[in-house]
mmCIF file of all heavy atoms in Angstrom:
data_model
loop_
_atom_site.group_PDB
_atom_site.id
_atom_site.type_symbol
_atom_site.label_atom_id
_atom_site.label_comp_id
_atom_site.label_asym_id
_atom_site.label_seq_id
_atom_site.Cartn_x
_atom_site.Cartn_y
_atom_site.Cartn_z
ATOM 1 N N SER A 1 202.759 -82.526 -142.861
ATOM 2 C CA SER A 1 204.226 -82.451 -142.860
ATOM 3 C C SER A 1 204.827 -83.565 -142.010
ATOM 4 O O SER A 1 205.784 -84.230 -142.427
ATOM 5 C CB SER A 1 204.684 -81.090 -142.324
ATOM 6 O OG SER A 1 204.261 -80.040 -143.169
ATOM 7 N N ARG A 2 204.265 -83.787 -140.841
ATOM 8 C CA ARG A 2 204.775 -84.858 -139.977
ATOM 9 C C ARG A 2 204.554 -86.229 -140.615
ATOM 10 O O ARG A 2 205.424 -87.104 -140.542
ATOM 11 C CB ARG A 2 204.091 -84.793 -138.615
ATOM 12 C CG ARG A 2 204.441 -83.546 -137.796
ATOM 13 C CD ARG A 2 203.882 -83.632 -136.378
ATOM 14 N NE ARG A 2 204.155 -82.415 -135.632
ATOM 15 C CZ ARG A 2 203.303 -81.399 -135.512
ATOM 16 N NH1 ARG A 2 202.104 -81.477 -136.094
ATOM 17 N NH2 ARG A 2 203.629 -80.319 -134.835
ATOM 18 N N ALA A 3 203.391 -86.415 -141.238
ATOM 19 C CA ALA A 3 203.104 -87.698 -141.893
ATOM 20 C C ALA A 3 204.081 -87.948 -143.036
ATOM 21 O O ALA A 3 204.566 -89.074 -143.219
ATOM 22 C CB ALA A 3 201.671 -87.708 -142.409
ATOM 23 N N LYS A 4 204.377 -86.911 -143.808
ATOM 24 C CA LYS A 4 205.325 -87.046 -144.924
ATOM 25 C C LYS A 4 206.717 -87.363 -144.404
ATOM 26 O O LYS A 4 207.426 -88.228 -144.941
ATOM 27 C CB LYS A 4 205.315 -85.775 -145.754
ATOM 28 C CG LYS A 4 206.375 -85.729 -146.849
ATOM 29 C CD LYS A 4 207.538 -84.828 -146.457
ATOM 30 C CE LYS A 4 208.562 -84.722 -147.552
ATOM 31 N NZ LYS A 4 209.716 -83.878 -147.159
ATOM 32 N N ASP A 5 207.150 -86.697 -143.344
ATOM 33 C CA ASP A 5 208.479 -86.959 -142.792
ATOM 34 C C ASP A 5 208.596 -88.399 -142.296
ATOM 35 O O ASP A 5 209.613 -89.069 -142.527
ATOM 36 C CB ASP A 5 208.778 -85.987 -141.650
ATOM 37 C CG ASP A 5 208.946 -84.548 -142.125
ATOM 38 O OD1 ASP A 5 209.146 -84.356 -143.347
ATOM 39 O OD2 ASP A 5 208.876 -83.632 -141.286
ATOM 40 N N GLU A 6 207.561 -88.883 -141.625
ATOM 41 C CA GLU A 6 207.575 -90.265 -141.148
ATOM 42 C C GLU A 6 207.581 -91.240 -142.319
ATOM 43 O O GLU A 6 208.281 -92.266 -142.293
ATOM 44 C CB GLU A 6 206.352 -90.516 -140.250
ATOM 45 C CG GLU A 6 206.359 -91.903 -139.606
ATOM 46 C CD GLU A 6 205.172 -92.121 -138.685
ATOM 47 O OE1 GLU A 6 204.234 -91.292 -138.702
ATOM 48 O OE2 GLU A 6 205.172 -93.138 -137.951
ATOM 49 N N MET A 7 206.831 -90.935 -143.345
ATOM 50 C CA MET A 7 206.790 -91.778 -144.533
ATOM 51 C C MET A 7 208.173 -91.882 -145.170
ATOM 52 O O MET A 7 208.619 -92.964 -145.565
ATOM 53 C CB MET A 7 205.802 -91.190 -145.540
ATOM 54 C CG MET A 7 205.690 -91.944 -146.849
ATOM 55 S SD MET A 7 204.640 -91.046 -148.031
ATOM 56 C CE MET A 7 205.810 -89.804 -148.618
ATOM 57 N N PHE A 8 208.875 -90.768 -145.269
ATOM 58 C CA PHE A 8 210.213 -90.771 -145.869
ATOM 59 C C PHE A 8 211.186 -91.617 -145.055
ATOM 60 O O PHE A 8 212.028 -92.321 -145.618
ATOM 61 C CB PHE A 8 210.737 -89.339 -145.991
ATOM 62 C CG PHE A 8 210.457 -88.693 -147.319
ATOM 63 C CD1 PHE A 8 209.192 -88.782 -147.892
ATOM 64 C CD2 PHE A 8 211.443 -87.991 -147.991
ATOM 65 C CE1 PHE A 8 208.931 -88.186 -149.114
ATOM 66 C CE2 PHE A 8 211.190 -87.402 -149.217
ATOM 67 C CZ PHE A 8 209.932 -87.493 -149.785
ATOM 68 N N VAL A 9 211.082 -91.556 -143.748
ATOM 69 C CA VAL A 9 211.982 -92.333 -142.895
ATOM 70 C C VAL A 9 211.885 -93.819 -143.230
ATOM 71 O O VAL A 9 212.896 -94.529 -143.291
ATOM 72 C CB VAL A 9 211.658 -92.094 -141.401
ATOM 73 C CG1 VAL A 9 212.372 -93.127 -140.516
ATOM 74 C CG2 VAL A 9 212.068 -90.684 -140.995
ATOM 75 N N HIS A 10 210.682 -94.294 -143.470
ATOM 76 C CA HIS A 10 210.465 -95.731 -143.687
ATOM 77 C C HIS A 10 210.570 -96.158 -145.147
ATOM 78 O O HIS A 10 210.886 -97.322 -145.418
ATOM 79 C CB HIS A 10 209.080 -96.126 -143.160
ATOM 80 C CG HIS A 10 208.972 -96.059 -141.664
ATOM 81 N ND1 HIS A 10 209.289 -97.126 -140.839
ATOM 82 C CD2 HIS A 10 208.590 -95.037 -140.840
ATOM 83 C CE1 HIS A 10 209.099 -96.777 -139.589
ATOM 84 N NE2 HIS A 10 208.674 -95.512 -139.550
ATOM 85 N N THR A 11 210.296 -95.254 -146.087
ATOM 86 C CA THR A 11 210.159 -95.691 -147.492
ATOM 87 C C THR A 11 211.188 -95.098 -148.436
ATOM 88 O O THR A 11 211.172 -95.411 -149.630
ATOM 89 C CB THR A 11 208.751 -95.354 -148.019
ATOM 90 O OG1 THR A 11 208.565 -93.921 -148.011
ATOM 91 C CG2 THR A 11 207.676 -96.010 -147.157
ATOM 92 N N ASP A 12 212.075 -94.266 -147.941
ATOM 93 C CA ASP A 12 213.151 -93.738 -148.788
ATOM 94 C C ASP A 12 214.291 -94.751 -148.778
ATOM 95 O O ASP A 12 215.280 -94.590 -148.060
ATOM 96 C CB ASP A 12 213.614 -92.380 -148.262
ATOM 97 C CG ASP A 12 214.593 -91.701 -149.203
ATOM 98 O OD1 ASP A 12 214.667 -92.091 -150.383
ATOM 99 O OD2 ASP A 12 215.316 -90.784 -148.757
ATOM 100 N N ILE A 13 214.154 -95.790 -149.564
ATOM 101 C CA ILE A 13 215.075 -96.926 -149.530
ATOM 102 C C ILE A 13 216.014 -96.889 -150.738
ATOM 103 O O ILE A 13 215.670 -96.306 -151.778
ATOM 104 C CB ILE A 13 214.303 -98.265 -149.504
ATOM 105 C CG1 ILE A 13 213.397 -98.394 -150.742
ATOM 106 C CG2 ILE A 13 213.487 -98.371 -148.225
ATOM 107 C CD1 ILE A 13 212.651 -99.719 -150.839
ATOM 108 N N PRO A 14 217.190 -97.484 -150.647
ATOM 109 C CA PRO A 14 218.142 -97.448 -151.771
ATOM 110 C C PRO A 14 217.564 -98.025 -153.059
ATOM 111 O O PRO A 14 217.843 -97.515 -154.152
ATOM 112 C CB PRO A 14 219.319 -98.302 -151.260
ATOM 113 C CG PRO A 14 219.224 -98.241 -149.773
ATOM 114 C CD PRO A 14 217.766 -98.150 -149.459
ATOM 115 N N GLU A 15 216.772 -99.079 -152.944
ATOM 116 C CA GLU A 15 216.202 -99.702 -154.136
ATOM 117 C C GLU A 15 215.158 -98.811 -154.824
ATOM 118 O O GLU A 15 214.951 -98.934 -156.042
ATOM 119 C CB GLU A 15 215.549 -101.039 -153.782
ATOM 120 C CG GLU A 15 216.507 -102.075 -153.230
ATOM 121 C CD GLU A 15 216.692 -101.956 -151.715
ATOM 122 O OE1 GLU A 15 216.279 -100.929 -151.127
ATOM 123 O OE2 GLU A 15 217.238 -102.900 -151.132
ATOM 124 N N ALA A 16 214.489 -97.944 -154.055
ATOM 125 C CA ALA A 16 213.446 -97.076 -154.597
ATOM 126 C C ALA A 16 213.440 -95.762 -153.810
ATOM 127 O O ALA A 16 212.549 -95.526 -152.999
ATOM 128 C CB ALA A 16 212.079 -97.760 -154.527
ATOM 129 N N PRO A 17 214.432 -94.922 -154.042
ATOM 130 C CA PRO A 17 214.524 -93.680 -153.265
ATOM 131 C C PRO A 17 213.488 -92.647 -153.690
ATOM 132 O O PRO A 17 212.987 -92.675 -154.824
ATOM 133 C CB PRO A 17 215.943 -93.187 -153.586
ATOM 134 C CG PRO A 17 216.219 -93.725 -154.957
ATOM 135 C CD PRO A 17 215.527 -95.062 -155.008
ATOM 136 N N TRP A 18 213.176 -91.743 -152.781
ATOM 137 C CA TRP A 18 212.339 -90.603 -153.112
ATOM 138 C C TRP A 18 213.182 -89.534 -153.801
ATOM 139 O O TRP A 18 214.324 -89.294 -153.431
ATOM 140 C CB TRP A 18 211.709 -90.006 -151.861
ATOM 141 C CG TRP A 18 210.494 -90.728 -151.405
ATOM 142 C CD1 TRP A 18 210.375 -91.573 -150.334
ATOM 143 C CD2 TRP A 18 209.193 -90.677 -152.005
ATOM 144 N NE1 TRP A 18 209.097 -92.058 -150.234
ATOM 145 C CE2 TRP A 18 208.342 -91.522 -151.251
ATOM 146 C CE3 TRP A 18 208.671 -90.009 -153.110
ATOM 147 C CZ2 TRP A 18 207.003 -91.704 -151.568
ATOM 148 C CZ3 TRP A 18 207.331 -90.199 -153.433
ATOM 149 C CH2 TRP A 18 206.509 -91.026 -152.664
ATOM 150 N N ASN A 19 212.588 -88.881 -154.789
ATOM 151 C CA ASN A 19 213.212 -87.756 -155.469
ATOM 152 C C ASN A 19 212.311 -86.546 -155.263
ATOM 153 O O ASN A 19 211.165 -86.533 -155.725
ATOM 154 C CB ASN A 19 213.369 -88.053 -156.960
ATOM 155 C CG ASN A 19 214.195 -89.302 -157.214
ATOM 156 O OD1 ASN A 19 215.399 -89.303 -157.037
ATOM 157 N ND2 ASN A 19 213.538 -90.387 -157.616
ATOM 158 N N VAL A 20 212.814 -85.542 -154.542
ATOM 159 C CA VAL A 20 212.015 -84.368 -154.194
ATOM 160 C C VAL A 20 212.128 -83.327 -155.308
ATOM 161 O O VAL A 20 213.230 -82.962 -155.726
ATOM 162 C CB VAL A 20 212.463 -83.768 -152.855
ATOM 163 C CG1 VAL A 20 211.656 -82.515 -152.535
ATOM 164 C CG2 VAL A 20 212.318 -84.795 -151.740
ATOM 165 N N VAL A 21 210.970 -82.868 -155.774
ATOM 166 C CA VAL A 21 210.899 -81.854 -156.822
ATOM 167 C C VAL A 21 210.384 -80.555 -156.201
ATOM 168 O O VAL A 21 209.242 -80.506 -155.734
ATOM 169 C CB VAL A 21 209.948 -82.287 -157.957
ATOM 170 C CG1 VAL A 21 209.908 -81.223 -159.057
ATOM 171 C CG2 VAL A 21 210.373 -83.642 -158.525
ATOM 172 N N ASP A 22 211.217 -79.528 -156.163
ATOM 173 C CA ASP A 22 210.761 -78.225 -155.672
ATOM 174 C C ASP A 22 209.787 -77.655 -156.691
ATOM 175 O O ASP A 22 210.150 -77.430 -157.853
ATOM 176 C CB ASP A 22 211.946 -77.279 -155.487
ATOM 177 C CG ASP A 22 212.889 -77.730 -154.384
ATOM 178 O OD1 ASP A 22 212.389 -78.228 -153.358
ATOM 179 O OD2 ASP A 22 214.115 -77.600 -154.548
ATOM 180 N N SER A 23 208.551 -77.411 -156.266
ATOM 181 C CA SER A 23 207.511 -77.107 -157.249
ATOM 182 C C SER A 23 206.794 -75.782 -157.023
ATOM 183 O O SER A 23 205.680 -75.585 -157.526
ATOM 184 C CB SER A 23 206.478 -78.240 -157.279
ATOM 185 O OG SER A 23 205.841 -78.389 -156.026
ATOM 186 N N ASP A 24 207.401 -74.862 -156.296
ATOM 187 C CA ASP A 24 206.800 -73.530 -156.215
ATOM 188 C C ASP A 24 206.760 -72.876 -157.592
ATOM 189 O O ASP A 24 205.864 -72.087 -157.884
ATOM 190 C CB ASP A 24 207.584 -72.647 -155.237
ATOM 191 C CG ASP A 24 207.079 -72.782 -153.810
ATOM 192 O OD1 ASP A 24 206.256 -73.682 -153.557
ATOM 193 O OD2 ASP A 24 207.510 -72.005 -152.941
ATOM 194 N N ASP A 25 207.744 -73.197 -158.432
ATOM 195 C CA ASP A 25 207.750 -72.769 -159.828
ATOM 196 C C ASP A 25 207.379 -73.988 -160.667
ATOM 197 O O ASP A 25 208.189 -74.901 -160.841
ATOM 198 C CB ASP A 25 209.136 -72.241 -160.210
ATOM 199 C CG ASP A 25 209.182 -71.668 -161.628
ATOM 200 O OD1 ASP A 25 208.498 -72.219 -162.512
ATOM 201 O OD2 ASP A 25 209.919 -70.686 -161.846
ATOM 202 N N LYS A 26 206.167 -74.013 -161.191
ATOM 203 C CA LYS A 26 205.676 -75.201 -161.893
ATOM 204 C C LYS A 26 206.500 -75.518 -163.134
ATOM 205 O O LYS A 26 206.743 -76.684 -163.445
ATOM 206 C CB LYS A 26 204.204 -75.023 -162.287
ATOM 207 C CG LYS A 26 203.224 -75.197 -161.151
ATOM 208 C CD LYS A 26 201.802 -75.217 -161.693
ATOM 209 C CE LYS A 26 200.791 -75.487 -160.599
ATOM 210 N NZ LYS A 26 199.409 -75.579 -161.134
ATOM 211 N N ARG A 27 206.916 -74.509 -163.853
ATOM 212 C CA ARG A 27 207.675 -74.750 -165.075
ATOM 213 C C ARG A 27 209.018 -75.414 -164.763
ATOM 214 O O ARG A 27 209.423 -76.371 -165.425
ATOM 215 C CB ARG A 27 207.878 -73.447 -165.846
ATOM 216 C CG ARG A 27 206.604 -72.915 -166.489
ATOM 217 C CD ARG A 27 206.895 -71.746 -167.407
ATOM 218 N NE ARG A 27 205.787 -71.462 -168.299
ATOM 219 C CZ ARG A 27 205.870 -70.693 -169.379
ATOM 220 N NH1 ARG A 27 207.031 -70.116 -169.688
ATOM 221 N NH2 ARG A 27 204.827 -70.485 -170.145
ATOM 222 N N ARG A 28 209.698 -74.882 -163.763
ATOM 223 C CA ARG A 28 210.969 -75.501 -163.358
ATOM 224 C C ARG A 28 210.742 -76.930 -162.895
ATOM 225 O O ARG A 28 211.528 -77.833 -163.198
ATOM 226 C CB ARG A 28 211.614 -74.691 -162.233
ATOM 227 C CG ARG A 28 212.307 -73.428 -162.682
ATOM 228 C CD ARG A 28 212.888 -72.690 -161.479
ATOM 229 N NE ARG A 28 213.625 -71.521 -161.881
ATOM 230 C CZ ARG A 28 214.934 -71.494 -162.108
ATOM 231 N NH1 ARG A 28 215.634 -72.611 -161.973
ATOM 232 N NH2 ARG A 28 215.544 -70.384 -162.469
ATOM 233 N N ALA A 29 209.666 -77.147 -162.153
ATOM 234 C CA ALA A 29 209.370 -78.482 -161.630
ATOM 235 C C ALA A 29 209.188 -79.481 -162.775
ATOM 236 O O ALA A 29 209.707 -80.601 -162.728
ATOM 237 C CB ALA A 29 208.128 -78.432 -160.747
ATOM 238 N N ARG A 30 208.445 -79.096 -163.800
ATOM 239 C CA ARG A 30 208.207 -80.006 -164.926
ATOM 240 C C ARG A 30 209.521 -80.352 -165.628
ATOM 241 O O ARG A 30 209.804 -81.529 -165.883
ATOM 242 C CB ARG A 30 207.245 -79.350 -165.918
ATOM 243 C CG ARG A 30 205.867 -79.109 -165.369
ATOM 244 C CD ARG A 30 205.102 -78.146 -166.266
ATOM 245 N NE ARG A 30 203.877 -77.684 -165.627
ATOM 246 C CZ ARG A 30 203.221 -76.584 -165.987
ATOM 247 N NH1 ARG A 30 203.678 -75.846 -166.987
ATOM 248 N NH2 ARG A 30 202.120 -76.218 -165.356
ATOM 249 N N ILE A 31 210.303 -79.315 -165.924
ATOM 250 C CA ILE A 31 211.583 -79.531 -166.611
ATOM 251 C C ILE A 31 212.498 -80.413 -165.773
ATOM 252 O O ILE A 31 213.108 -81.372 -166.277
ATOM 253 C CB ILE A 31 212.260 -78.179 -166.894
ATOM 254 C CG1 ILE A 31 211.469 -77.373 -167.925
ATOM 255 C CG2 ILE A 31 213.696 -78.387 -167.355
ATOM 256 C CD1 ILE A 31 211.467 -77.950 -169.302
ATOM 257 N N ASN A 32 212.599 -80.105 -164.483
ATOM 258 C CA ASN A 32 213.514 -80.847 -163.614
ATOM 259 C C ASN A 32 213.098 -82.302 -163.446
ATOM 260 O O ASN A 32 213.926 -83.216 -163.455
ATOM 261 C CB ASN A 32 213.610 -80.163 -162.248
ATOM 262 C CG ASN A 32 214.301 -78.814 -162.327
ATOM 263 O OD1 ASN A 32 215.041 -78.537 -163.270
ATOM 264 N ND2 ASN A 32 214.058 -77.958 -161.343
#
């Protein structure tokens, strides 16, 4: 979790932003 948070701080850039997919429900995740 800490590694992911640090990664987002440095790599969530306007040119290539991260898009978070809530995936506890796999079907919703695929559709979304």
Side-chain angles (χ1 to χ4, degrees):
S1 296
R2 293 188 183 95
K4 173 256 183 182
D5 292 343
E6 185 178 11
M7 178 187 79
F8 267 46
V9 167
H10 291 271
T11 63
D12 188 18
I13 59 177
E15 298 87 347
W18 278 105
N19 302 287
V20 178
V21 181
D22 294 322
S23 61
D24 272 10
D25 185 324
K26 283 189 176 183
R27 289 189 164 195
R28 282 179 177 267
R30 295 165 192 160
I31 292 292
N32 292 339

